[in-house]
Amino acid sequence: MVSIIKTEFSKMKRYSVIWIGVATMFTVVLLARFMATASDGATHTLMNFSSSVIWNNLVLIYPATIALIAGYIIDRERTDDTLKNILTIPVSFRKMLIGKLIAVGCMAAALSVIEFLFTLIVFFASGFPGFSIGGMIQVLFQMIGINMISYIAVMPVIAFTAQRSGSFMAGVGFAFFYGFVGMMASGHGLRDLYPITAGLTVIGYQDGSSDPTGNILLSVASILFILAVTFIIVFTAKNREVTAAKKRTKNSGKTVQKRNHSAR
């Protein structure tokens, strides 16, 4: 498994889709800066500016972005025609999927650090007050925490759509909707139960418009439930295209046998 993960890291260096993740991190920070400009008279400290970045990233762009990157990386094995070679090494489709999910998880953490750096750059460039070392460290851990939990929330979607070629784009569309609904779920008292927003309570997110504490037990239970669903999907995962092809071949063979039998 370690060698599989190392191989995935080396492959990621060649994938330009990674830059989409970097670009979205920068875009969401600029969006938060624009929103800060529109809110006249408000004092924008590092904490409330980063809260705006975290919220916009969570419900608008991050779930779809990480689903796009993960789905693309998995589907490249098919488009590059390397999947059939990998599966004969032998590396099962399930092991390959686990290796890619772990590698993408590490990349998600790296994107969180990039988001944090962009946040600091825009914060200082804007001349906002309220900077502190303690606050900076807190923001870093909050961004890593919420993005990793958000990745966990979409992992079942990634693992499910990875089993058929080209299906990941449907997963991207669902992930976008999944994240956007989090905005409404959070506003109707479902923040702790909804998987996308459950991480807000875990990281101690506060924006002044929702419960600043939440129920940590419900949030953790929601995250654990998603992990359990992911485990079941991954445990039963297979390359569905190969399975379907085998069935078609088997059915075709039966049809030929029936025709031969009838001809006799």
Side-chain angles (χ1 to χ4, degrees):
M1 183 58 67
V2 174
S3 61
I4 294 175
I5 296 172
K6 287 182 179 180
T7 302
E8 293 305 322
F9 285 143
S10 64
K11 289 179 181 178
M12 282 184 180
K13 297 176 183 178
R14 306 193 303 267
Y15 296 151
S16 57
V17 72
I18 304 299
W19 291 103
I20 294 179
V22 175
T24 55
M25 296 300 101
F26 185 57
T27 300
V28 78
V29 174
L30 290 182
L31 175 62
R33 178 64 182 87
F34 175 78
M35 293 174 64
T37 303
S39 55
D40 298 331
T43 301
H44 301 286
T45 63
L46 177 60
M47 293 305 298
N48 57 33
F49 178 65
S50 64
S51 293
S52 179
V53 173
I54 289 171
W55 176 255
N56 290 329
N57 191 43
L58 180 66
V59 300
L60 296 178
I61 201 167
Y62 186 79
T65 299
I66 201 67
L68 171 64
I69 294 172
Y72 175 86
I73 289 174
I74 295 170
D75 211 52
R76 275 293 295 265
E77 301 293 353
R78 294 188 176 96
T79 57
D80 291 347
D81 205 25
T82 55
L83 182 59
K84 60 183 181 182
N85 296 327
I86 292 174
L87 298 181
T88 58
I89 291 178
V91 175
S92 66
F93 180 82
R94 188 179 303 114
K95 285 186 177 180
M96 186 205 71
L97 180 59
I98 293 172
K100 287 185 179 292
L101 290 175
I102 293 173
V104 173
C106 294
M107 187 204 62
L111 287 177
S112 303
V113 175
I114 292 172
E115 178 188 25
F116 167 73
L117 293 175
F118 283 150
T119 300
L120 285 185
I121 291 170
V122 173
F123 174 81
F124 286 123
S126 302
F128 291 151
F131 174 80
S132 67
I133 298 298
M136 180 183 70
I137 295 173
Q138 181 179 347
V139 169
L140 173 60
F141 280 101
Q142 282 185 331
M143 287 184 172
I144 294 175
I146 193 62
N147 286 346
M148 293 304 296
I149 294 173
S150 179
Y151 173 57
I152 290 172
V154 298
M155 271 205 299
V157 180
I158 296 170
F160 180 77
T161 57
Q163 300 177 51
R164 289 186 181 275
S165 177
S167 297
F168 77 94
M169 288 307 300
V172 173
F174 179 81
F176 176 79
F177 175 77
Y178 189 20
F180 187 76
V181 170
M183 187 185 304
M184 293 175 280
S186 181
H188 289 79
L190 300 175
R191 190 178 84 173
D192 301 322
L193 290 174
Y194 196 68
I196 288 288
T197 56
L200 294 173
T201 298
V202 176
I203 67 170
Y205 174 84
Q206 297 184 27
D207 65 351
S209 63
S210 58
D211 185 0
T213 54
N215 189 319
I216 189 68
L217 292 179
L218 284 179
S219 299
V220 172
S222 177
I223 296 167
L224 291 176
F225 173 76
I226 291 297
L227 283 173
V229 172
T230 302
F231 175 81
I232 293 172
I233 293 175
V234 172
F235 183 77
T236 58
K238 61 181 69 175
N239 188 10
R240 302 291 175 180
E241 291 184 338
V242 173
T243 304
K246 288 181 178 179
K247 287 183 178 179
R248 286 194 297 268
T249 302
K250 184 177 181 180
N251 292 334
S252 177
K254 288 181 178 179
T255 302
V256 172
Q257 289 178 357
K258 288 180 179 179
R259 288 178 179 174
N260 292 337
H261 182 72
S262 300
R264 292 175 184 175

